[in-house]
Structures are given as structure tokens and as C-alpha cells.
Amino acid sequence: MKKIALIYGVTGQDGSYLSKFLLKKNYIVHGVKRRSSSINTHRIDKIYQDPHEKNKSFILHYGDLTDTLSIKNLIQTIKPNEIYNLAAQSHVGVSFQIPEYTANVDALGTLRILDSIRSLKLEKKVKFYQAGTSEMFGRTVNKFQNEKTNFYPRSPYAVAKVYAHWISINYRESYNIFASNGILFNHESPVRGETFVTKKIISGLCKIKKNKIKTLYLGNLYAKRDWGHAKDYVEAMWKILQYKKPDDFVIATGKQYTVKEFVNLACKELAIKISWRGKGLNEVALDESGRKIIKIDKKYFRPTEVDSLRGDSTKAKKILNWIPKTTIKELIIDMISNEI
Ligand code: NAP
Ligand code: G4F
């Protein structure tokens, strides 16, 4: 019998990679999309066009994590073997502007799914994956973060995700639900949302190269992140749910770069020669002809920043046999080739 998966957040970056991954593994994939005034399925449209799939194993439903009735109805109707909760207001910067909505979706939305599993008495049938984040470590003092590192969330987004993490553990311990947390560090791809820094840099530099724009505006160049490729990370999500018991896993590359280093690496791949001048809000990157192609705009700074994230996924390697396969250079090349 084919396994059935239900993906919340199917239209997002990870939802699209996970759908393809699970369809290859012969799953029936149900995905939940939000009603939108403009089309929001561009990342998954190709799955429909796949002649082998022809919609048979990939079914979309309208729903929303703020709508308890639709969550309960869908879970009751579909009775999936695995639920992946990837849905979120996932932008850290935006969460300072819409903190209540972020909490409603990212924190309470998780509770709504878990409590539907409980109240429908599907504890023995359904496994639940929660999309946790390295942002929960926030203002950490540890050089590397693993499953034992304390959380110190630094944004409404991260605080909501800490709630989602702990409510998943609480429902696991209280009601025996197979609820696992993936604590994923930043992961990117050609279909990364346009306002996240890697995609913004790649897309901006490609436009500069084609003379479509003159300048790319960025915020904090000195934040350090551990960037992997989404296609490797969705495999980890699946492996987490195939493990014999529910558990929590850090998923990361263990390597770290500043935003500025990411810009330099991308420029190298695009054969754009730059030199940096100035400090703070006056820092700029000049191209060979002396044009200021990167400037700083303070509107991209956050009220509280997460300065440094670097994951230690030894546990995932040991227990799940998961390791990241894509280097940062390969990630950047993949993003650039899709952009061009
Ligand atoms: P994403 O591209 O922003 O996708 C988020 C998805 O959630 C989209 O499908 C979005 O729908 C959906 N969504 C938003 N609000 C919703 C609501 N109220 N009800 C139902 N669906 C809603 O995020 P991602 O990068 O794929 O990340 C997937 C998950 O992993 C998120 O929970 C994120 O917080 C978490 N995470 C991401 C990273 C990362 O580096 N990418 C790292 C750690 C954790 P629309 O398409 O309609 O907007
Ligand atoms: O690309 P970002 O917006 O990602 P951030 O804040 O690390 O969050 C992402 O990764 C998390 C995992 O750790 C996820 F949970 C979350 O959902 C999301 O996917 O920003 C990365 C860094 C930040 O320090 C930010 O201040 O880049 C800095 N930055 C500098 N200039 C910028 C910009 N970020 C954005 N978005 N835009 C800028 O112009």
C-alpha cells in the first residue's frame, strides 16, 4: 500500500522539494495551499505537468493553519501516515511587523494540527514532523549548536517556533503522538523566497550583470549563517519520520559564512570583480568601473539580530545516516544557473 503524506506549506520552498522527494518514493502526497488573490503555486506547477504524475498522486486542498475546522476535516478525511508541518510566516524580519499573526500561524497552527491528531484518535496512525529552526538558538554563546544547546529566541518568529517545538514534545510525552522536531539551519535553493538574503543577493547580482538594476541594497553584512541546500534538507525531514521513535534532530552543514562572504562567493561565480569601501551604513561594494553596486539600507536591519549560527548535526549523521551533500559553491552555482 502506498503511504500517504499531508504537507502543510506545500507551496513554499521546502514543500515543493519535499513533494517531489516523496512522490519519487511512491507516496500519495496531499498538499495544503492557502487561498490567494494571485497564483501561489508556481513552485509546484511542474509536478502537475510531469507526465508520470498527471495529478494522480499529488492532490491539493485549500486550507490555512489559522483555521482549526479545515485542519481537523482534512486530517479526518485523508488519514495520512505522515504530516509535515512546513507552513509558517517564515520571514524573521517581517515577524517584527506582524508578531500576532506570526504567533497564530507558527505557534498555534502547530498546536491545531497536534490537537486534531489527538482528538481524532489518530495517535497510532499518524507521524508528525515539525519544521523547527536554528533561529530558536538566537543569541547563543555556543560556537556550534546541537540538540542540547539552550534556546534564546531573538524575534517573534523564533519565539513562536520555540512554542511549536515544545508543544510537539509535550504532545509526544502526554499523548504518545509520534511528533518529531527537525531543527534546521538555513537552507536555500533556486526557489527560495525572493526576500531572503541569499536569493536577494543572487537575483540582484544577476540583474546588475545584465544592467537591469544599478544597485543592490542590503542590511547587516556581518551576520553569520550556516547555509545548506533545501534538496538535502527535505531528505533529512523524511529520515526523521522513518526513525523508530520520535526525536529531535539538528540539520546543518557545520560551515559558516557571513552575508558579505556570501556576496563575495556569488560575485566570484558571476565573474563580477568587486572591492569593498567604507564602514557601517556607508559601506559599499564597487565594481571594476567604480560603480557602487551594493549599498547598505538600514531598513533591512532587525531590532534584534542573530549574529552567529553554526550547526552540529553529529546526531543526525550517527542515527539517521544523514549528511549534507551540497557545498556552498554548488548551491550558489545552482541558484545562479536558474536565475540566468
Ligand atoms: P516558505 O518558502 O516561506 O514557505 C512557507 C509555506 O507556508 C508556504 O507554502 C506558505 O504559503 C505557507 N503558509 C504561510 N502561512 C500559512 C498559513 N496561515 N496557513 C497555511 N500555510 C501557510 O518557507 P520554507 O523556506 O519552505 O520553510 C519551510 C518551513 O521550515 C517553515 O516553517 C520555516 O519557518 C521553516 N524553516 C525554514 C528554514 C529555511 O532556511 N528555509 C530553516 C529552518 C526552518 P504561501 O505560498 O501561500 O505563502
Ligand atoms: O535570509 P534571511 O532573511 O534568513 P534568516 O533571518 O536567517 O531566517 C531564515 O533562516 C531561518 C533558519 O535559521 C529560518 F527559520 C527562517 O524561516 C528563514 O528561512 O537573513 C539572513 C541574515 C540575517 O542576519 C539578516 O539580518 O542576513 C541578514 N541580511 C542582511 N541583509 C538580510 C539582508 N536579510 C534579508 N532578508 N534581507 C537583506 O537585505
Side-chain angles (χ1 to χ4, degrees):
M1 266 247 294
K2 281 189 169 192
K3 275 194 183 172
I4 302 170
L6 173 60
I7 303 177
Y8 274 89
V10 75
T11 56
Q13 169 188 259
D14 290 3
S16 65
Y17 276 95
L18 183 65
S19 298
K20 284 175 220 154
F21 178 88
L22 293 177
L23 287 166
K24 271 202 189 128
K25 291 221 168 277
N26 216 19
Y27 277 62
I28 295 173
V29 176
H30 292 262
V32 180
K33 64 170 180 172
R34 300 194 285 176
R35 195 269 157 184
S36 165
S37 65
S38 48
I39 290 167
N40 61 354
T41 54
H42 64 279
R43 292 188 178 103
I44 48 174
D45 284 343
K46 273 201 183 135
I47 299 177
Y48 284 122
Q49 289 153 16
D50 183 338
H52 300 295
E53 291 307 332
K54 281 274 180 217
N55 264 342
K56 284 197 299 277
S57 309
F58 188 59
I59 304 127
L60 291 182
H61 309 264
Y62 280 108
D64 198 296
L65 273 195
T66 60
D67 187 278
T68 310
L69 295 180
S70 72
I71 294 172
K72 211 166 165 183
N73 283 337
L74 267 182
I75 295 176
Q76 185 167 32
T77 313
I78 296 166
K79 294 194 176 57
N81 304 99
E82 295 170 11
I83 299 179
Y84 294 86
N85 178 26
L86 313 183
Q89 189 303 92
S90 72
H91 200 285
V92 174
V94 173
S95 77
F96 289 94
Q97 288 168 46
I98 46 169
E100 185 182 344
Y101 176 73
T102 303
N104 194 5
V105 177
D106 300 12
L108 294 182
T110 309
L111 172 66
R112 290 181 185 110
I113 300 179
L114 285 164
D115 204 65
S116 299
I117 298 172
R118 182 200 62 78
S119 63
L120 292 165
K121 301 196 185 339
L122 290 172
E123 305 91 328
K124 294 209 167 62
K125 161 119 183 139
V126 184
K127 292 179 180 182
F128 175 76
Y129 172 85
Q130 166 56 20
T133 164
S134 48
E135 281 293 305
M136 297 188 296
F137 297 120
R139 192 173 175 179
T140 183
V141 289
N142 300 54
K143 201 170 162 205
F144 286 88
Q145 298 85 47
N146 64 23
E147 295 78 5
K148 294 197 172 92
T149 308
N150 287 338
F151 294 148
Y152 189 152
R154 293 273 280 171
S155 63
Y157 165 77
V159 174
K161 285 285 187 175
V162 171
Y163 175 89
H165 177 89
W166 280 108
I167 199 68
S168 299
I169 293 176
N170 182 253
Y171 268 59
R172 171 161 96 206
E173 293 175 352
S174 307
Y175 307 115
N176 251 333
I177 291 178
F178 193 114
S180 295
N181 290 294
I183 307 174
L184 273 54
F185 282 62
N186 299 51
H187 47 280
E188 322 293 308
S189 74
V191 297
R192 182 60 146 150
E194 301 284 340
T195 59
F196 295 96
V197 80
T198 57
K199 179 75 172 174
K200 193 174 155 184
I201 291 168
I202 300 287
S203 154
L205 290 174
C206 288
K207 286 188 185 115
I208 287 169
K209 195 156 169 89
K210 290 187 199 158
N211 278 322
K212 285 190 178 164
I213 60 165
K214 286 198 171 83
T215 312
L216 168 65
Y217 290 88
L218 294 173
N220 179 8
L221 293 175
Y222 295 95
K224 295 177 188 156
R225 289 291 181 276
D226 175 334
W227 280 295
H229 197 303
K231 71 180 175 206
D232 296 342
Y233 286 44
V234 298
E235 185 193 13
M237 294 175 189
W238 175 76
K239 283 193 161 188
I240 288 171
L241 286 198
Q242 309 319 304
Y243 184 45
K244 61 179 185 239
K245 62 183 181 71
D247 206 341
D248 309 320
F249 293 91
V250 159
I251 301 297
T253 70
K255 298 196 170 64
Q256 187 190 56
Y257 301 86
T258 61
V259 171
K260 188 171 172 178
E261 283 165 340
F262 190 93
V263 171
N264 291 336
L265 289 169
C267 283
K268 195 172 166 206
E269 291 310 323
L270 282 162
I272 303 175
K273 282 199 178 134
I274 56 164
S275 54
W276 294 93
R277 299 273 190 283
K279 278 205 167 125
L281 293 178
N282 296 319
E283 188 159 10
V284 291
L286 309 175
D287 70 4
E288 272 182 303
S289 66
R291 270 192 317 163
K292 290 177 183 165
I293 61 166
I294 297 174
K295 289 184 185 170
I296 306 300
D297 187 331
K298 66 171 190 266
K299 82 172 174 208
Y300 296 116
F301 285 77
R302 291 151 187 191
T304 40
E305 175 64 282
V306 172
D307 296 321
S308 176
L309 291 174
R310 189 172 188 181
D312 163 16
S313 48
T314 307
K315 180 178 171 184
K317 187 177 177 193
K318 206 167 142 196
I319 295 182
L320 305 175
N321 195 23
W322 179 87
I323 46 159
K325 298 184 183 107
T326 316
T327 63
I328 191 135
K329 185 177 160 132
E330 288 163 346
L331 168 68
I332 289 173
I333 291 172
D334 192 22
M335 292 178 81
I336 290 175
S337 50
N338 272 274
E339 198 71 39
I340 289 169

